[in-house]
Amino acid sequence: MFFIETEYFCSGKFFLITRNIIVFMVSISFLNPLSPEGKDIVRELGSLEGISEDIPQLRSIVTHNPSQEILDDGEIPSNFLELALKRIEWHIKKKHDREFNGRRYAYLSDDKITKYDVISFYLLCQAIGVKFGPNSRETRVMVESQGDLINERLGKLHADEGRSMVEKSLQMLLADDQVHWTFFEELLSSRKIRLTDLVLDQGELILDQEDFLERFGPKIKHRNPMSMYQLLIGDELKELIMIKLIMQETEDYIKQVHEKAEKMVEPNPILLELAEQVSEVLSEPMQSYGYGSGRGGGGPLKAGPLNNLAFPPCVKKALEGIKSGGRNDAIVLFMTPFVSYARLYPDVFRMNITKRVSDQDPNLEITENEVLPLIYEAAQRCVPPLFDDQPQEKVNINAKLGFGMHSSLNMNHEGETTWYTPMSCEKIKLHLPHLCKPDDVCKKIGNPLSYYNRRIWEVNNLETEGPETPENGDSDNSNKIEASEVQKGTGEDNKSNESTDTTGGSA
Amino acid sequence: MDLKPANPNERRQYYREEWDVKNVPDFILKSLIQREFGFDHMGRGPNDRYRVFKNTDFLRKFMRYRAPFAAYSSVAFYHKPRRRDGWIKAELVFDVDAKDIPIRSCGCENVCEVCLNQAKDIVHGLVDTLKGDLGLSHIHVVYSGRGYHIRILDDLVMGADSDVRTQVVKYLVGSDVPRSEYSSHGMKYNLEHFTIPFGYPQVFTHRVKQALLAVNMDTEIDGVNKNILKAVIKHRDLLKDDQWGIFRKNIGPVRYNKLVKGIASLNLTLVDAKVSIDLKRILRLPSSLHSGVSMISTEIKNLETFDPFQDAVPKFVYERNE
């Protein structure tokens, strides 16, 4: 299965004659394999037959690259599949390996590999699309790696050449001269770009210099409008938009592959094998250098008693009790998932495996004795105390733990609802802006649970290394949240099965 | 004017004598059968949901006979509004509640003329940005009783998901401090937001100016102490002539950075973001009575001249025997 039929292959190189100098131009497909030129390269290949055969030419390009460092012959990709894996490996190592050496992957920025690189790109997208689908970690990494690679390649190109390639790519990607900001809906929705990054006027994205000068020139005082254009738009914004659009197209392409593959009987075993190998490349750093956790240590993060020293500022504030509106959201939607995951499954985002509460707490003892009491305590510290006027919220707390709309936690009901994962910082800022008082650690994380994991590791490390003992004689145990310290659930649960309607009315 | 609640008799009087179904704006009547309606009969929240009206006559009769405490309709259009199913699209809305303005110059308990005027100024700014920057044109502004709703029906944005709406909210209110470091050809340059007279930096400058002109010594802004507030109050007249450079210098660059960072985070509460990102929200029905304050939710034709205390007061308020 390879989705583009054979057609004539355009050479990877073009010639441009400017001011009587012949300039070799890099193919657009070196940056955007999904461009018509890239598709032509795939058409020329036609099928996957012989895809794993050695390509001496590729080896030769790699070994002849002057910047290339080769420690071991095994590092040299000798076919399309190996090159595909190297693309992913480069991105993962660059991101996570402190000893990463870019010179060992110098060939990835050599435009001579364009023809092979494009094929390896399609192989990756198809393998990941077939096996993992668009909402997988593999897709996310593939899309990120493509963005990363374009950036790297642009950095290595001569400035003029890079600029001209970006212009040309953008012309292809932006169908029209006048682009309304809603054209970027997908990029905005997936937060690949921020609306505030764009320069807008009357709804249109301003990228062109003449357009900029015409619209904003008269408004600019005490500065040269041309240099302002260079600073605010110039190469940087154009590159950003081009890269993000290609990333989005990559994601869309994987999605298309996935949809097509679902209708097919048997996926190609070569693609399935490649998918497995991609997965292995991704799991390697998780074992060797703590992929994605931001922690210094390796290995999985074990669940353990909660330690309030490691709580982020928003959780600390919610624990004090909510005094100004938003009680329900703060307790049910924010605290319930945070406390339960922090106590039972702090690794949820790293593991990327959906679990139930009982997978982590088989007889629900910890949930009943540690998790719920802490949530209830925060609820009762609200003004007015949450359960005094809204006892039905206990049912909603159970629902967010995955136990359906019932007044008590019962294993028979588990799975009727989903165990909600903790709200991201982004969501907290919108739903509960009063809780968000970020400190320095907050700058490095996007979810309060990541904050907790980062801090708990530091706090625990301090404890094992022997922390500074408080002089007032309080042991650091005072920071552990023990069941006995907090109020236990009472029997005043509301029997109602009505859900809290989040789509409330607005005055 | 005393903003006290309307009793059931006053509600009935309003819906029988004063309210007319024709007062419901066209942008709602045109899509009547695709919208869900919700009602609050007892003043305890809109519990009577999933209502649908096949035509204006059914709506007219319902309002006249039930004289609800509050009436709402969905911002969403559905294929099956009775089940809130088959979502087609939703208005993009912004809710500016006078009571929740982050930096209020009045300090009143509920709402008053001063904070309602402040809310109106904020709405002015938001509408300017929606038109000038985002190029939107089907914009309706409604007085809600305690503030304003901005309702946008441009097809370009009605299909947007919550994440896109979040980005629009952030742009509109100025919740991120624009970067001040820019580079070109390997050189770094500093450009403060107020030196850029277009795009998002200009939006941010407008919102910060509005906030700084409203602060008083009791205003709480994260990372901003009383000394900074004192300096702001002392020098803020400079901002009336947009002399930002001198203002920043007088405050001190480090303190200025703290100040704008604090205001940016407060700006997120200029509108109720929950309302904007909710694709199935119900909003107070324009023309209906806000019984909590005895005011009419009114679609505004001219924001410049609109005065809620003239244009949104039901007759029964004038007939009350105090």
Side-chain angles (χ1 to χ4, degrees), chain B residues 297-317:
Chain B
S297 173
T298 311
E299 188 186 9
I300 300 167
K301 295 294 173 206
N302 184 347
L303 192 58
E304 275 317 323
T305 56
F306 178 79
D307 175 0
F309 295 101
Q310 290 288 325
D311 306 320
V313 182
K315 281 181 197 153
F316 68 76
V317 169

Side-chain angles (χ1 to χ4, degrees), chain A residues 198-215:
Chain A
L198 305 179
V199 178
L200 302 173
D201 183 45
Q202 306 295 320
E204 283 162 10
L205 172 73
I206 310 300
L207 280 182
D208 178 66
Q209 185 174 302
E210 271 180 40
D211 201 12
F212 176 92
L213 295 176
E214 198 182 307
R215 291 179 194 239

Side-chain angles (χ1 to χ4, degrees), chain B residues 14-279:
Chain B
Y14 173 73
Y15 282 108
R16 286 187 185 170
E17 295 174 11
E18 203 170 342
W19 181 83
D20 189 323
V21 74
K22 287 178 193 149
N23 299 347
V24 178
D26 270 355
F27 73 87
I28 290 178
L29 292 181
K30 272 185 195 162
S31 47
L32 191 73
I33 56 166
Q34 290 181 310
R35 294 189 192 246
E36 181 219 359
F37 281 74
F39 299 93
D40 174 0
H41 298 292
M42 312 292 288
R44 292 188 194 143
N47 301 323
D48 180 11
R49 300 277 306 254
Y50 298 91
R51 290 263 180 192
V52 176
F53 297 100
K54 279 186 185 160
N55 58 44
T56 51
D57 206 39
F58 283 110
L59 176 63
R60 184 183 63 81
K61 282 179 186 155
F62 185 95
M63 298 294 267
R64 275 177 70 92
Y65 294 118
R66 301 294 296 269
F69 184 86
Y72 304 84
S73 69
S74 64
V75 296
F77 294 42
Y78 302 97
H79 287 300
K80 293 173 186 164
R82 194 180 294 283
R83 288 164 48 196
R84 236 191 276 168
D85 202 5
W87 187 91
I88 303 166
K89 56 184 180 177
E91 295 171 28
L92 171 62
V93 293
F94 301 96
D95 177 15
V96 180
D97 195 325
K99 193 167 72 65
D100 298 328
I101 296 172
I103 299 177
R104 295 211 297 173
S105 40
C106 59
C108 76
E109 291 270 305
N110 197 357
V111 290
C112 67
E113 209 164 337
V114 177
C115 55
L116 277 170
N117 266 330
Q118 214 187 326
K120 199 165 101 169
D121 284 344
I122 291 167
V123 170
H124 256 301
L126 300 180
V127 171
D128 281 349
T129 306
L130 287 164
K131 289 180 179 169
D133 285 40
L134 302 184
L136 301 170
S137 52
H138 298 284
I139 301 173
H140 301 269
V141 179
V142 176
Y143 173 65
S144 70
R146 288 200 317 190
Y148 295 87
H149 292 158
I150 303 172
R151 309 178 63 150
I152 298 151
L153 285 100
D154 286 69
D155 261 332
L156 279 168
V157 291
M158 285 184 77
D161 65 17
S162 295
D163 291 310
V164 174
R165 289 169 197 243
T166 301
Q167 297 240 22
V168 178
V169 170
K170 290 172 130 188
Y171 188 103
L172 212 57
V173 301
S175 68
D176 289 330
V177 181
R179 64 189 174 126
S180 55
E181 275 186 11
Y182 293 84
S183 59
S184 172
H185 301 100
M187 294 281 284
K188 283 198 171 163
Y189 299 86
N190 227 55
L191 275 186
E192 286 296 332
H193 61 93
F194 50 80
T195 61
I196 304 170
F198 51 83
Y200 178 67
Q202 187 190 38
V203 173
F204 184 77
T205 304
H206 285 164
R207 304 293 177 264
V208 172
K209 180 174 173 179
Q210 221 161 20
L212 291 177
L213 293 178
V215 293
N216 56 46
M217 283 310 286
D218 297 325
T219 307
E220 284 183 19
I221 306 172
D222 260 0
V224 175
N225 59 31
K226 295 276 177 204
N227 284 337
I228 304 182
L229 275 182
K230 218 165 146 184
V232 169
I233 292 165
K234 186 177 169 194
H235 298 293
R236 68 179 166 196
D237 275 353
L238 288 163
L239 300 182
K240 290 179 181 162
D241 304 322
D242 289 320
Q243 298 192 58
W244 284 88
I246 308 172
F247 176 78
R248 178 172 175 267
K249 202 174 143 207
N250 288 348
I251 302 287
V254 176
R255 298 204 304 176
Y256 181 83
N257 286 351
K258 280 187 186 171
L259 183 66
V260 289
K261 205 175 148 200
I263 290 175
S265 110
L266 273 185
N267 278 349
L268 208 44
T269 53
L270 268 184
V271 300
D272 184 348
K274 283 201 291 293
V275 177
S276 302
I277 63 179
D278 190 341
L279 304 177

Side-chain angles (χ1 to χ4, degrees), chain A residues 170-179 183:
Chain A
L170 276 176
Q171 273 171 19
M172 288 182 195
L173 293 162
L174 306 171
D176 213 331
D177 278 351
Q178 305 290 357
V179 183
F183 175 82

Side-chain angles (χ1 to χ4, degrees), chain A residues 24-38:
Chain A
F24 285 98
M25 269 198 78
V26 180
S27 161
I28 287 291
S29 55
F30 188 51
L31 299 185
N32 184 6
L34 293 158
S35 62
E37 291 167 23

